[in-house]
Structures are given as structure tokens and as C-alpha cells.
DNA sequence: GCCGCCTGTTGTATCGATAAACTCGGCGGC
DNA sequence: GCCGCCGAGTTTATCGATACAACAGGCGGC
């Protein structure tokens, strides 16, 4: 392996000068600079990032821990965040937690080893005192565990957004709704275990809207959260007691539901209206295109970066909890003929 | 920051003993082990990965560089690969190259800094001597640049797969085909610039199949490679000279085409048949579901890991170039009523 | 003409973990 | 009863880059 010392020897200067030339942190004479760059090029020198970050105590890398990499929502989040952080001179690396509290805790703990200057944690299961786990590592949480304490947090308007989504269906005349992805109805207000997760909050929003609509009913159908689970829910809905509107708590589920309803012979929007949540890119181009709650992706990414940079600069700053503005985007899946 | 020395002092042993207890590389007495673990826990000790990898020369991390994180194909690849590498005790981190040769070259160069023990490069634009760029870093390339020299490579059966996809349409009676995502037809055999990329290879496969079918014609429609570009292609096809079969060179394009054709009032499969390539998860659940060429994802991941581990163990081994077996998966989009 | 200052360069110590060599008490073998 | 060996632990040196202080030399000011 070629080290700075090798380059220094080849260029006839000290290692420190090589460092100065390559980082540009100190002035160097043009001749020396040229000699160093030439030697570095010729030897194929590569800076050792482990050595640098050991010495500097920083890496210039931000981690993003997501439940799974193959869900469109997280992929799109990662893409946006990577692009935004690049503008700050930071690299993003993404890793997968497997959607388990243990995986998420491990991601936080491991990140304290100094591999990242900061961590964006898209938590679905982890609760409790994340700050204690994170130590002095700057962490910004996404997702909706109410008991994510003492960390900066960027949230969505889950309740309000879902309420608006359900209200849209009700406005379009639906009276027999189904919620796909909701926890069992009777658990919505229980504290404990999963209190505060996005699914529960969104389900509450739907319930609120239904309660406010005279004559409307709603039932929960839940078989998981993956695309294929949505398909199964859609089939179950087509086969069971008739419904005229479906609120799917994520777009991934909603896209599955579209498929499942088609399997069961129901047409959207002719027989049933469907609305999703998250406004993933695919929602705009599915057949039929999917109405969805857009949680303000760009604003969220902006806030995540702002909070992260602020905490990296001021470790002791007070925690912030911000919620991005949402919008309901109406598309074919809720448009009455 | 709590270091090993701090833990050692607290436990009344030497730092080396702490290291031995925590890594388990040497036997230690039960009492000492307990004392060390207790102290480590109490002080909230976290191993510094920079220091470890500086000393060890390895990190236990494999990098995956993909053009973009928000394309379903790459997200799904990342998910699969992460899961598979976890079984080998390796972590995967993913980064985005922006689909540019510069971004890809930068990913390779940066990875030589010792951040990763190996790199999986999903290249779309990078050509030339990747080995020279990579130096001693183990690299396994995915994607189809023919001039990716002197690196291990896991490929798809692009020509054969695309030929089979087109053959499927021809078998179903299509005679006026369109290829979406193809380079301009007259460039298919040109050497140079982009010779060998997946789109060109796949387009050639389509051409081969059409040439072998008496009376069949084909034209290329290309406006980009993103989902939205597929939509525009679909609309253009619906508006232009009639076609009865579409080969989209990626599933992402194909899903867009389905939407675009619907916009143009054409029904799939009644008016037009559509087949994609990649067999992303969404293909199984779109409406209509999408026939696609499955490039053998699991086999590919298996081979990638095998080649990577082999090269990490034997840096001087001869380069291998393997191609996974493909299969055409037929779904609704090519099924005649 | 001497002094302080500025610019460019160099030694030295250090970041934290660990490989390798070394120490020491106990124990079985001949 | 002595020797060599083994297990458990310690010491020392090192991985590669860089913060920091020290240092050489040129130059303008009084």
C-alpha cells in the first residue's frame, strides 16, 4: 500500500507537506505542489480514510438506517437525502435494519464507533431512550414512535394526513370504508408496545374522519405491510363484505390493494375508491393512478439535513421535533366517473 | 470518548486484555472476562472502527455502488445482497453514483481508501481498465460494459433474454413491435462509446428475434430510462403508428409504458402486448401484471458473493465472468384473451 | 543594520486498537 | 526434582494521517 510517506519520499518533501498539498489546508509553493501531485499520481496514492478519521475524529459520512432497502419509499428517501447531503460535502451510506428493534438498536450503537459523523434513523420499532444508545452521535429520527426521546425528529402529519385521505373518500360518497394496514381497531388507543407508530396514528386519523361522517362505517384489514400483503388484503376485500372505499396506510399497500381488487373483479374507481399514503413515485403511474397523501418529501429532507448539521455543530442544542406540511394529491383512484 | 484504555483501567487489567475479551480471539479467565464486560457496559464503551480498521487493515464492510437508490431494481438488489452478506458476517453499505462514469470512477477510487473490504459495482457508464482504478481492492462488477476489463463480473443473459422476450410476443402473434429504451437502431453494432451496455445488448436480442420472424417489423422509441420516460414512450406509441407488441428494455420502463398506453386509450393485453426485463417485484402486481425476463436474481447474488469472497481470500486469482441463467416469466401483459 | 513577522516546511506526538513478542506462575513428564 | 510447556496476561511497536509547535529564511520598518 502506498502511504503519504512514500509520496513524500518520492517528491523529496516531508509527509506533512504532502498532507498540506492534498488537503489544501495550508499554503504551499507551486513547485512543491506540482511535485507532490505528480508523485501522488504516479504512485497511485490513495488516502487511508481509517487513518484520517482516527486522527481527525470525523469521517464526512452520514449514515441512513432504513428498515429495508427494497421498499420504494425508503429507496426514494435515500436517493433524495444522498443528493441533498452531497451539496453539503457529505456522503451518504445506507444500511438495512431489517425493521426490527434489535436491528435498529444495532445500527445506532455501531454508528457510535465513529464510522459516521451522524445518523439518520428511519425507525419503525425502536423506542425508548435513543439518546442513551446514541451517546454523543448526532441522530435525527424519522418515523413516528412517540417514545423516541431526546432526539431530533422529523415527522409527518400522520393523523391529519390520514384524516384528510379518509375525508376525501367520504366526500366522494363512500360510506363503507376499509383501512388496510391498520393495527387491530381496539388497540388504537392502547399505550405501550407500539404506541405512536405511523400505522396506528394514521389509523386514528381515519377513525376520526369516519366518526365525523354520519352513516359511515369502517373496518380494518391487515395481513402485513409488504406489497404482496396488500394484494392479499385487496383480494380479501373483494371477496368479503362489500366496501366502497379503501384507505391503505402506505402506498406500497395501496398498490398491492389495486392489484388484489382487480384479482377479485372489482374496478377502481368504478366500484371502489382507493387512497394511499406517502406519495411514492409509482403512485403517479400505476393503473389507475393512485391518490395519496404527500407527506412533504422535500421539506422533510431539508429539515433532516438542517437538524443534522445543527447538531453536528452544536451537540448540546435543544431537541427539535418538526412536522412537514402534507398535501392530498388526487388521482384516478378516487375520481368518480 | 471512552476508549479501551479507560475500560482497562476500570477493570484493573491491560488494554490488550480488554481487546481479547471483546473480540474473543484469546482465552481469558471468567473473572477477568466478567470484570471487563461489566466495566465496558458501565462506561458505555464503543469500539472505534477507524482505529480497528487502521490496525487490522480490514473493515468487515462491503460497498455497493449503484447508479441510483430509488430505482426498484437497485433497491431490490441491495436488499438481497445485504441479506446474503450478513450471512458471511459482512455488512453492506450502499452508495449512489448518479449513473455517471465520473461518479462510478469516484466510487471505485474512494473505496480504495480502505473504507470497504470489497466493492460491488453496478456500472452503467464506466468502462476501461477498472482494475487499474481499483488497485488491490476486490471488485465485482455487475452490468454489461464489455470493456470492464480484468475484474470479476456477473452478468445477465441480455441478448438471449431479450430475444426470448421478443420471441414471446412474436409467438403470441405480434408483428409490429416497438422497443422502448433502445439506443438508436443504427448504433446497435457500432463499437466504441457505449458498446456493450445492457440496453444495446438487449436491443440486439430483440432485433435478432424480429429478423427471424417473417413479416415482423420493429421500431425503437426512446426518451430516457426512468419510469416517467416510460410513460412518455407509452403515450407516443399510442399516438403514433400502430404497434401490437412492446418490448421494454427494463421493467421500470415497462411499467411506465403500461401507464402511457392507458393514457393513450390502448388496453394491455387486448390491444397491445407488453414485456419487460428484470423481473422486479412490482412486475408481479401491476395492473395488468407484467411479463418479464427474470435474470436469475438469486443466482446472481450468490455468484457475486462467491466471487467477492474468493478474491478477498486470493487477490491474484484469475478473473471470472459468469452469466446467470434467465427465465421468461409470463403474466397478464402478454396473455391473449 | 537589527528585529519582528510572514510564508513555507519540518519534527514529533497522537488518535485507538491490536499483532507479536514477552513474562510469569503452575503443572505434568521423565 | 528439574525442565519444558502451557495458559493468562502484559509490554511494545505499529497501522497512516495530521494538529501543533518549532523552525528557516526573506523582507520591510525604524
Amino acid at each position: 500500500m502506498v502511504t503519504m510517506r512514500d509520496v513524500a519520499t518520492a517528491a523529496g518533501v516531508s509527509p506533512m507537506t504532502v498532507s498540506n498539498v492534498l488537503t489544501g489546508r495550508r499554503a504551499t509553493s507551486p513547485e512543491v505542489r506540482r511535485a507532490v501531485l505528480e508523485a501522488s499520481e504516479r504512485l497511485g496514492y490513495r488516502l487511508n480514510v481509517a487513518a484520517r478519521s482516527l486522527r481527525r475524529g470525523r469521517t464526512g459520512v452520514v449514515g441512513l438506517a432504513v428498515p429495508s432497502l427494497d421498499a420504494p419509499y425508503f429507496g426514494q428517501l435515500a436517493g433524495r437525502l444522498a443528493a441533498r447531503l452531497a451539496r453539503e460535502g457529505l456522503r451518504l451510506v445506507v444500511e438495512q435494519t431489517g425493521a426490527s428493534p434489535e436491528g435498529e438498536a444495532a445500527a445506532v450503537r455501531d454508528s457510535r464507533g465513529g464510522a459516521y459523523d451522524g445518523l439518520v434513523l428511519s425507525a419503525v420499532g425502536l423506542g425508548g431512550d435513543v439518546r442513551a444508545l446514541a451517546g454523543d452521535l448526532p441522530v435525527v429520527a424519522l418515523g413516528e414512535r412517540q417514545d423516541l426521546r431526546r432526539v431530533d425528529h422529523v415527522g409527518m402529519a400522520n393523523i391529519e394526513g390520514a384524516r384528510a385521505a379518509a375525508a376525501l373518500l367520504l366526500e366522494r360518497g363512500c360510506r363503507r370504508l376499509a383501512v388496510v394496514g391498520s393495527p387491530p381497531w381496539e388497540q388504537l388507543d392502547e399505550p405501550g408496545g407500539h404506541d405512536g407508530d405511523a400505522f396506528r396514528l394514521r389509523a386514528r386519523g381515519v377513525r376520526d374522519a369516519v366518526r365525523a361522517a354520519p352513516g359511515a362505517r369502517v373496518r380494518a384489514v391487515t395481513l402485513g405491510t409488504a406489497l404482496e400483503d396488500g394484494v392479499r388484503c385487496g383480494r380479501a376485500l373483494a371477496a368479503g363484505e362489500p366496501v366502497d372505499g379503501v384507505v391503505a396506510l402506505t402506498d406500497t399497500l395501496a398498490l398491492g390493494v389495486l392489484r388484489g381488487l382487480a384479482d377479485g373483479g372489482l374496478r377502481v374507481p368504478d366500484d371502489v375508491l382507493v387512497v394511499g399514503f406517502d406519495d411514492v413515485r409509482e403512485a403517479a403511474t400505476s393503473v389507475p393512478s393512485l391518490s395519496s397523501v404527500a407527506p412533504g418529501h422535500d421539506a422533510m429532507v431539508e429539515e433532516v439535513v438542517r437538524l443534522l448539521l445543527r447538531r453536528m455543530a452544536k451537540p448540546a442544542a435543544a431537541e427539535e421535533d418538526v412536522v412537514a406540511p402534507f398535501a392530498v394529491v388526487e388521482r384516478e383512484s378516487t375520481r368518480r366517473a
Side-chain angles (χ1 to χ4, degrees), chain A:
Chain A
M1 169 179 291
V2 182
T3 76
M4 240 176 207
R5 191 197 313 288
D6 301 329
V7 176
T9 309
V13 295
S14 77
M16 200 58 233
T17 299
V18 176
S19 175
N20 289 333
V21 168
L22 296 181
T23 62
R25 333 195 100 213
R26 287 169 102 85
T28 45
S29 69
E31 313 86 80
V32 168
R33 155 177 285 107
R34 235 175 333 99
V36 167
L37 291 175
E38 186 275 329
S40 163
E41 184 71 24
R42 184 162 46 82
L43 300 179
Y45 169 74
R46 288 278 94 203
L47 184 101
N48 183 314
V49 296
R52 165 177 281 185
S53 64
L54 173 59
R55 183 66 245 238
R56 283 203 178 162
R58 286 172 296 108
T59 60
V61 176
V62 171
L64 170 66
V66 296
S68 85
L69 288 163
D70 64 356
Y73 175 73
F74 296 115
Q76 289 166 34
L77 169 66
R80 268 186 269 260
L81 194 54
R84 182 63 186 76
L85 284 169
R87 301 220 315 262
E88 306 293 333
L90 292 166
R91 295 203 327 166
L92 183 78
V93 305
V94 190
E95 50 184 287
Q96 191 163 238
T97 61
S100 69
E102 304 79 47
E104 294 176 348
V108 175
R109 272 198 311 269
D110 290 353
S111 302
R112 287 180 61 192
Y116 307 138
D117 292 348
L119 181 71
V120 180
L121 175 68
S122 194
V124 297
L126 185 60
D129 195 344
V130 174
R131 176 89 264 138
L133 264 181
D136 43 8
L137 178 79
V139 170
V140 175
L142 290 164
E144 303 306 327
R145 308 278 314 174
Q146 281 183 343
D147 49 353
L148 281 174
R149 299 215 194 293
R150 300 202 292 143
V151 280
D152 294 309
H153 179 242
V154 177
M156 297 180 187
N158 283 298
I159 296 182
E160 299 78 4
R163 190 190 297 140
L168 174 66
L169 296 186
L170 294 163
E171 225 173 85
R172 295 280 171 277
C174 301
R175 281 300 172 272
R176 297 185 310 276
L177 301 192
V179 188
V180 171
S182 167
W185 211 247
E186 63 279 8
Q187 289 177 18
L188 287 196
D189 298 299
E190 274 175 23
H194 281 266
D195 188 62
D197 70 41
F199 289 97
R200 187 184 297 213
L201 294 172
R202 293 177 186 180
R204 281 201 211 142
V206 174
R207 188 184 53 183
D208 291 353
V210 171
R211 281 187 183 161
R217 308 244 212 135
V218 62
R219 69 186 158 108
V221 179
T222 302
L223 299 164
T225 62
L227 181 59
E228 291 76 10
D229 299 319
V231 177
R232 290 161 55 217
C233 289
R235 287 185 191 144
L237 285 170
E241 210 177 316
V243 295
D244 54 11
V246 178
V247 182
L249 297 187
T250 69
D251 278 358
T252 293
L253 279 171
L255 292 167
V257 165
L258 291 181
R259 176 71 237 179
L261 292 172
D263 287 342
L266 289 182
R267 289 161 309 159
V268 177
D270 310 82
D271 303 321
V272 192
L273 304 192
V274 177
V275 60
F277 200 121
D278 284 339
D279 197 32
V280 299
R281 181 186 297 198
E282 287 78 1
T285 60
S286 61
V287 181
S289 58
L290 178 69
S291 298
S292 187
V293 178
H297 293 298
D298 292 335
M300 287 182 68
V301 166
E302 211 53 51
E303 287 296 304
V304 165
V305 172
R306 181 180 65 80
L307 292 177
L308 198 60
L309 294 177
R310 190 193 56 140
R311 186 151 303 277
M312 281 162 51
K314 267 188 64 180
E319 288 78 23
E320 271 194 56
D321 189 338
V322 305
V323 176
F326 73 95
V328 177
V329 181
E330 182 156 26
R331 301 199 180 91
E332 293 168 351
S333 67
T334 57
R335 238 172 245 148
R336 284 291 187 204

